[in-house]
Each structure stands twice: as C-alpha cells, then as structure tokens.
Amino acid sequence: MLLPFFGFKDRMEYYEDASSIRRIPHIRTPMLFFASEDDPFISRHPTVECAANPFTILALTAHGGHGAFMEGVLPIGHTRMTKTVREYFEAILHMHRAS
C-alpha cells in the first residue's frame, strides 16, 4: 500500500533496494555477516559476494532464525550471536597486535 507512495512498483523492487548485498563489494573494513539458513526474512544469503571480498566473512548456520540466535529453554543472557561476535573481534584484535 505504501510502496508506490515511496516510488517502488512492488515489494520485490523495495527488497532489492533495501538489500545490502550490492554494497558488499565496496566494504574495506573487516565485516562479519552472521546469518542462518532458516531465517524466514532472508531470501538469498550473500555467499558469492562475501567470498569475493577479503574484508568480509559470512558465518552461515543451519538454524538460528532471525532473533539473535537464542539458546536454551529460557533464552536469557548471552546468545550464540554475541559469543560469535566476541570471538570474531578477539581474533581481529589478535591479528592486529601480531602485525
């Protein structure tokens, strides 16, 4: 309903415009993409784009959905995503200190 008001002919044109995939080739700062195959909001993961850019890493899991990769029956506290992001930054810092 609102898409034509903002200049989009349909939802697919909006999704293509909103997607970050076409911006990945221009990234020049280390970037971690964390996604899951079962995310209901993502129709295509940037596997080709991330593989072609040495500044990007795509961490793609089979499960996790769209909600920060909650863990446990009562998902309180750290999530799988926060643990992975922390490990990523620790590795980046380690590489920076070693160089």
Side-chain angles (χ1 to χ4, degrees), residues 65-84:
H66 197 75
F69 298 82
M70 300 298 192
E71 294 180 321
V73 177
L74 296 172
I76 298 170
H78 292 290
T79 65
R80 188 177 347 150
M81 183 175 71
T82 58
K83 293 174 188 174
T84 303

Side-chain angles (χ1 to χ4, degrees), residues 20-29 49 53 55-56:
S20 62
I21 286 178
R22 69 176 187 276
R23 294 175 178 90
I24 292 173
H26 307 288
I27 293 172
R28 294 295 176 260
T29 302
E49 293 81 1
N53 186 333
F55 293 97
T56 62

Side-chain angles (χ1 to χ4, degrees), residues 46-58:
T47 52
V48 172
E49 293 81 1
C50 287
N53 186 333
F55 293 97
T56 62
I57 296 173
L58 174 61

Side-chain angles (χ1 to χ4, degrees), residues 6-7 24 32 36 42 62 65-66 80 95-96:
F6 290 104
I24 292 173
L32 172 65
S36 70
I42 306 298
H66 197 75
R80 188 177 347 150
M95 288 178 11
H96 179 70

